[in-house]
Amino acid sequence: MADLVIRDADVVDGSGGPSYRADVAIDDGRIVSIVKEAAAAGCQRPTATRELDAEGLVLSPGFIDMHAHSDLALLRDPDHSAKAAQGVTLEVIGQDGLSYAPVDDRTLAEVRRAITGWNGSGDDIDFDWRSVGEYLDHLDRGIAVNAAYLVPQGTVRALAVGWEDREATPAELDRMRRLVAEGMEQGAVGMSSGLTYTPGMYAKDAELTELCRVVASYDGYYCPHHRSYGAGALEAYAEMVALTREAGCALHLAHATMNFGVNEGRAPELLGLLDEALAAGADISLDTYPYTPGCTTLAALLPSWASEGGPEAVLARLADEETAERIRHHLEVIGSDGCHGVPVEWETIEISGVSDPALAAHTGHRLDGWTTARRLLLSDRLGTTILQHVGHEENVRAIMRHRVHTGGSDGILQGSKPHPRAYGTFPRYLGRYVRELGVLSLEECVARLTARPAARLRLPDRGLVREGYRADLVLFDPETVAAGSTFDQPRTLPTGIPHVLVDGRFVIEDGRRTDVLAGRSVRRTPA
């Protein structure tokens, strides 16, 4: 007898094929039986110690968030309803080239300062790890949902080279190769970069190619936040395609947007570039979130030369009047590489969070210029997060239709007014872009959120409703599922998702978070 049977569910199995009605039995964390049209056929129905009536609900694989910033949130917040309530059963962390392993004491302190705006200061975290494997072991103590990890190239560079804008020496490049290889051996699924963030952006293509060769040798993938999403975006995408083809490495393009005014209506050019590469044999996928504005830290907009040397060096430059004026000129006139080569439009930038509670009054307000931005950067010691209202809806819809598309929230959970994508990405896909707008069919959308990302991660037993697969599952009402989060109320949980299971255990039951911590690290599967 099984542990659980889900009766009369409308199964959308992740394959992209048509839905079907079935009883699905679960035992010991896996799907053990699927009986299609059991009631109508009059056949033997599976039995279990517990039954769940799923009449009117869709049963699908759990959603995979291909771009998450929950590196510390998973440890800090056992509840983690921001993701669990969306039906997310697996997050891919270690994104944008900056995370907390591999590190030494110096690098850990520097990285913590550099990405306070993403993950908080970490003062509430016991950083009892230094290697990738030790970090994954820490996750294995029990977390809300599963997590896979990317070796962060910027952190690797900080560890081997430092925060200087220079080429790595041969010895430093060898060390970076070893660090990436060790991370892959310890379970990472690939490598990420943040090529508008220091120090990762200081790496030339030749250096990145060498590291991608290491990733490819372990059958992993490269996930770059590339050098521009604004002016020069298409060239930046083409650079990543060429680089990974030279290295023989699979490519997954992070939050593949075409933002800023210079790219309005240009999504077809990006998709044409990708189609040409795919036709030539490239292994490419991408993720997007179903919103127009972006989210990052205020410090990320600064020109790369102003960020050289790490956080303390940045603060010193901001405090110097002459240097601060140079920074302003780059931001407002030239177009900072940190702002994707586009002169900053202050009215598009909304403060979404601050590290210093004394500055909370700024949250929710648009910036009125450089003077206020500089004061915030100094007072908040680079810990301020922002929303950047620069997207184009037609680009969002065109890219999500592409055949290699997957879903990723890019959800930053810090700040009192975070981007609503952190709490709403997956139900927004299902509610707005499937039910309301018909941009995707339900079957297509579920495949993009489940089986396709599982294939990119090379997971042999996740991403589909199949016998023998892990019971990472979500039950939702296709008529009511919707994101509750908005830009005004970004932490509101979604509606229409009553049940979520991780490894066959309810993490969301009857719409409420249980105390189950069934999540663990999901480590690289050898080819």
Side-chain angles (χ1 to χ4, degrees):
M1 182 176 289
D3 296 328
L4 170 70
V5 62
I6 300 171
R7 297 268 189 226
D8 296 319
D10 292 321
V11 178
V12 178
D13 66 6
S15 68
S19 64
Y20 56 87
R21 194 172 179 86
D23 289 356
V24 178
I26 297 162
D27 192 64
D28 196 25
R30 292 188 180 271
I31 298 168
V32 294
S33 175
I34 301 173
V35 181
K36 295 183 180 181
E37 300 290 351
C43 59
Q44 181 67 40
R45 307 185 76 175
T47 59
T49 55
R50 178 179 176 184
E51 297 187 5
L52 176 65
D53 182 3
E55 181 72 36
L57 298 178
V58 167
L59 175 67
S60 83
F63 306 136
I64 297 176
D65 188 343
M66 286 296 287
H67 193 103
H69 287 284
S70 302
D71 307 47
L72 298 186
L74 283 163
L75 304 176
R76 168 185 297 125
D77 177 20
D79 182 82
H80 201 48
S81 287
K83 295 301 178 68
Q86 293 187 59
V88 171
T89 59
L90 171 60
E91 299 183 89
V92 185
I93 56 177
Q95 298 284 355
D96 293 332
L98 287 167
S99 190
Y100 305 94
V103 291
D104 57 14
D105 291 349
R106 170 190 63 82
T107 307
L108 175 61
E110 294 167 343
V111 168
R112 286 176 61 183
R113 287 287 308 282
I115 54 175
T116 293
W118 293 357
N119 297 311
S121 67
D123 291 341
D124 53 346
I125 301 294
D126 179 12
F127 288 91
D128 62 349
W129 69 82
R130 292 296 179 268
S131 70
V132 169
E134 289 168 347
Y135 174 67
L136 298 180
D137 289 344
H138 197 104
L139 298 180
D140 284 341
R141 298 175 189 175
I143 50 180
V145 302
N146 297 309
Y149 191 73
L150 297 167
V151 178
Q153 171 259 331
T155 300
V156 167
R157 197 173 212 273
L159 182 55
V161 180
W163 296 74
E164 292 76 38
D165 183 2
R166 64 173 176 82
E167 291 190 26
T169 67
E172 289 166 341
L173 182 56
D174 281 344
R175 187 181 182 200
M176 284 190 281
R177 287 194 195 97
R178 290 196 302 273
L179 289 167
V180 172
E182 288 168 3
M184 297 297 294
E185 288 171 1
Q186 292 164 8
V189 295
M191 180 180 75
S192 74
S193 283
L195 299 179
T196 64
Y197 302 125
T198 58
M201 67 191 304
Y202 299 139
K204 301 294 190 292
D205 282 3
E207 178 180 313
L208 295 172
T209 301
E210 286 303 306
L211 299 183
C212 283
R213 292 188 200 279
V214 176
V215 173
S217 72
Y218 288 93
D219 209 24
Y221 70 93
Y222 181 43
C223 180
H225 165 124
H226 51 272
R227 299 191 193 274
S228 176
Y229 290 83
L234 288 172
E235 291 81 0
Y237 280 113
E239 175 192 10
M240 295 298 100
V241 171
L243 186 156
T244 49
R245 296 207 70 191
E246 172 68 21
C249 186
L251 172 65
H252 180 84
L253 296 165
H255 38 60
T257 60
M258 290 289 284
N259 283 340
F260 301 92
V262 296
N263 290 319
E264 185 172 2
R266 299 189 70 189
E269 296 177 61
L270 167 62
L271 301 179
L273 184 157
L274 299 181
D275 285 337
E276 182 178 352
L278 289 162
D283 184 358
I284 301 174
S285 56
L286 59 86
D287 66 68
T288 69
Y289 46 83
Y291 298 85
T292 48
C295 178
T296 187
T297 62
L298 183 57
L301 305 185
L302 300 176
S304 57
W305 61 262
S307 299
E308 185 179 5
E312 290 301 328
V314 178
L315 291 166
R317 292 187 183 101
L318 288 166
D320 179 75
E321 294 294 337
E322 184 176 343
T323 309
E325 173 57 22
R326 274 188 69 204
I327 293 171
R328 183 204 65 77
H329 184 74
H330 270 258
L331 281 168
E332 296 184 345
V333 180
I334 297 174
S336 162
D337 50 3
C339 194
H340 307 281
V342 177
V344 68
E345 298 173 311
W346 295 114
E347 68 274 12
T348 69
I349 295 175
E350 177 185 356
I351 303 303
S352 61
V354 293
S355 294
D356 184 351
L359 302 170
H362 291 276
T363 300
H365 293 281
R366 303 288 180 112
L367 284 175
D368 58 8
W370 166 244
T371 300
T372 303
R374 179 191 177 198
R375 185 168 63 247
L376 260 177
L377 286 163
L378 286 166
S379 301
D380 208 23
R381 296 187 64 80
L382 312 182
T384 305
T385 53
I386 62 170
L387 302 180
Q388 207 165 2
H389 295 270
V390 293
H392 304 287
E393 177 67 17
E394 69 273 20
N395 286 348
V396 170
R397 296 190 194 186
I399 294 169
M400 75 168 63
R401 290 188 184 103
H402 196 269
R403 66 186 187 279
V404 299
H405 169 263
T406 68
S409 71
D410 196 14
I412 293 174
L413 300 168
Q414 284 298 114
S416 58
K417 198 171 184 287
H419 196 302
R421 68 194 186 194
Y423 284 73
T425 286
F426 295 87
R428 183 171 169 85
Y429 267 119
L430 296 168
R432 179 158 178 76
Y433 288 94
V434 172
R435 184 179 64 247
E436 295 176 7
L437 299 177
V439 175
L440 299 170
S441 72
L442 180 59
E443 290 82 1
E444 286 176 318
C445 185
V446 168
R448 292 158 192 265
L449 306 182
T450 60
R452 189 174 296 166
R456 166 52 72 215
L457 297 169
R458 306 199 190 285
L459 303 178
D461 59 356
R462 299 177 196 266
L464 291 168
V465 179
R466 289 281 191 276
E467 291 181 0
Y469 274 56
R470 289 198 176 268
D472 293 347
L473 301 167
V474 57
L475 283 146
F476 62 89
D477 183 342
E479 300 301 320
T480 64
V481 62
S485 60
T486 64
F487 285 98
D488 290 331
Q489 299 291 332
R491 295 187 186 276
T492 306
L493 296 179
T495 57
I497 305 179
H499 304 291
V500 182
L501 295 90
V502 173
D503 206 32
R505 301 168 67 191
F506 285 94
V507 296
I508 300 291
E509 186 173 12
D510 296 323
R512 293 183 176 86
R513 179 71 173 95
T514 70
D515 60 1
V516 169
L517 295 175
R520 300 292 186 270
S521 69
V522 174
R523 309 197 187 204
R524 180 186 62 86
T525 302

